[in-house]
Amino acid sequence: MYEPRFDWTREDVLALHARPLSDLIYEAQGALRAHHDPNAVQRAQLLNIKTGGCAENCGYCSQSSAFETGLKASKLMELDAVLSAASAAKAGGAERFCMGAAWRDLRDRDMEAVCAMISGVKAMGLETCVTLGMLHEGQAEKLAAAGLDYYNHNLDTGPEYYPQVVTTRSYQDRLDTLAQVRRAGVAVCSGGILGMGERAEDRADLLVQLAALSPHPESVPINHLVGIEGTPLGGSARLDGLDFVRWIAAARIIFPRSVVRIAAGRESMSQELQALCLLAGANSIFVGARLLTTANPGRDRDEALLDAVGAG
């Protein structure tokens, strides 16, 4: 019981999601306690090391060059600035430091600079993660040699709804990048975004796709869409809070050994809703005042939340 399985179906996941909430959370707690300290919540911090100007047309993203969102593009940050931000994150309690660049793919010309950032952050004793778009042959190995722990590359949604979200890269492109990451011995961080106008079936399909990966992603971030003016999906109807909790619980049960992260969208969630997400099996949050280009609750609110639930 509470061991990974790889044969989940859409029907299985929808049935799991539809269970009485008390039963669902009870099972999620069992999965959490079987493999993790139930009172430990990892603090991760995310830095945008290269902002805007991305050639992709992901319909939720302010950093796409396809949309007018008012975001000003910038060049790749200098190494010293990145390491200073990482040091401040560690001083603020972060255990994991993630670096994201608004690129369609990682160019070889940027590899040396990115590897220096990874090595510098790793030397501070922080867990390292990057999200740099699609990878080409041999690049994952170079990132691994620099000390990379995790590579983030989200599937975003299920394959049927995916063309409504982005058309500049295929679902298979995403899966191919994850396969390269895995072959290089780097841990996989992959999840999705809820609340983009997708059906429950599409959310279930996302979890089915992730659960088919062997081994499961070591990190599964679950994002609640932050609607951004100027993006095609910015006006999507907001997902019900308790429904979001149900999907967190389903993810915990499906990925019992993985770290399930509450990612984007916490800024607009009440403390009580976030506490329910933790009760449902999430065991990591992104801290800091910003999450890429959107607001995050900030240190005071985060510490108040973690104190309230007694999390370490």
Side-chain angles (χ1 to χ4, degrees), residues 57-60 157-167 196-197 232-233:
N57 67 351
C58 304
Y60 51 81
T157 189
E160 288 185 13
Y161 192 69
Y162 183 82
Q164 307 303 313
V165 177
V166 55
T167 59
M196 299 189 293
L233 298 174

Side-chain angles (χ1 to χ4, degrees), residues 199-227:
R199 307 166 300 161
E201 288 83 354
D202 298 309
R203 297 171 200 147
D205 289 349
L206 167 67
L207 298 183
V208 167
Q209 288 289 319
L210 292 168
L213 300 176
S214 181
H216 284 170
E218 287 83 358
S219 168
V220 180
I222 306 294
N223 296 270
H224 191 304
L225 178 69
V226 177

